[in-house]
Amino acid sequence: MKKLLTGILCCFSAVVMAQTKGVVAVVKDPMIDSLIAKRIELNLKPATTGGPGTVIPVRPGTTIVSQMGYRVQIYYGSDRREVYNEQSKFNSSYPELNTYITYKQPNYYLRVGDFRTRLEAQRLLNELRPMFPTLFIFREKINAPNLEPQQ
C-alpha cells in the first residue's frame, strides 16, 4: 500500500512541476530602452569635427568612422600629473590635433593625431622631435577624418 501511494504521489508531483513550453519571460530595466533611443538619436544628429574655432558640418545620419590608422606617441610614464602636463604642453602648440591618454598598468600613454598613412604620422614625428625626446608611431584604430571637400 505504501508503494502504491508513493507511486501515485510521484506521478502527480511530476505533472505539477512540469513547465510550459515556448513561453519566455524577459525581465529588463526600462532604462535600457531609453538608452537605446538616446544612442539612435545621437547617431542621427549632425556631428561636427575639427579643432577649436573650426566647424566642419557632417551630413545628418553619418557618424565618425573608426578605422585603422596611425598615431604618434609623445609620452609614456607612470606619473599621472606628468602625462597631463605633457598633454597641455602639446595642446598649446598644436590645438588642431586630438590627444588620447590611455592607461595600461603601470604606465600612462599620450598619443596624438588621427593619421590615415604612416607618412603623415612621420611628418608630425619629425616636427615634434626637438620638443619631445621619445617619439614612436603606432598603428591603431583612429577616428577617421572627414574627406569631403570644404566649401
Side-chain angles (χ1 to χ4, degrees):
M1 187 68 170
K2 287 184 181 181
K3 291 182 182 182
L4 180 64
L5 189 58
T6 304
I8 292 172
L9 285 174
C10 286
C11 289
F12 282 120
S13 65
V15 171
V16 171
M17 298 298 279
Q19 298 176 352
T20 58
K21 293 186 179 187
V23 178
V24 176
V26 177
V27 179
K28 66 177 179 178
D29 191 351
M31 288 296 291
I32 292 174
D33 290 329
S34 65
L35 288 173
I36 291 171
K38 182 71 173 172
R39 177 68 179 191
I40 291 169
E41 179 185 329
L42 287 173
N43 283 340
L44 294 177
K45 213 182 252 187
T48 58
T49 59
T54 61
V55 176
I56 304 166
V58 178
R59 284 181 292 173
T62 60
T63 57
I64 297 175
V65 180
S66 293
Q67 68 178 31
M68 292 306 286
Y70 297 91
R71 288 194 177 133
V72 177
Q73 179 174 297
I74 61 173
Y75 177 81
Y76 69 95
S78 59
D79 186 10
R80 182 177 173 186
R81 280 181 281 164
E82 187 62 32
V83 76
Y84 284 110
N85 289 340
E86 292 294 322
Q87 181 185 31
S88 65
K89 177 180 165 184
F90 179 83
N91 283 338
S92 65
S93 300
Y94 298 91
E96 69 279 356
L97 291 175
N98 293 329
T99 59
Y100 304 93
I101 295 176
T102 55
Y103 177 73
K104 291 180 188 170
Q105 193 173 9
N107 290 322
Y108 291 91
Y109 299 91
L110 176 60
R111 295 181 182 167
V112 298
D114 292 311
F115 302 108
R116 291 182 181 272
T117 64
R118 186 173 180 89
L119 182 63
E120 293 172 349
Q122 186 66 44
R123 285 184 190 135
L124 179 67
L125 184 135
N126 293 339
E127 188 177 330
L128 294 176
R129 182 78 58 198
M131 293 190 315
F132 299 96
T134 56
L135 298 171
F136 299 100
I137 296 176
F138 284 92
R139 181 170 166 80
E140 62 186 15
K141 194 174 264 193
I142 63 166
N143 300 323
N146 189 9
L147 291 180
E148 293 183 18
Q150 297 180 4
Q151 296 178 359

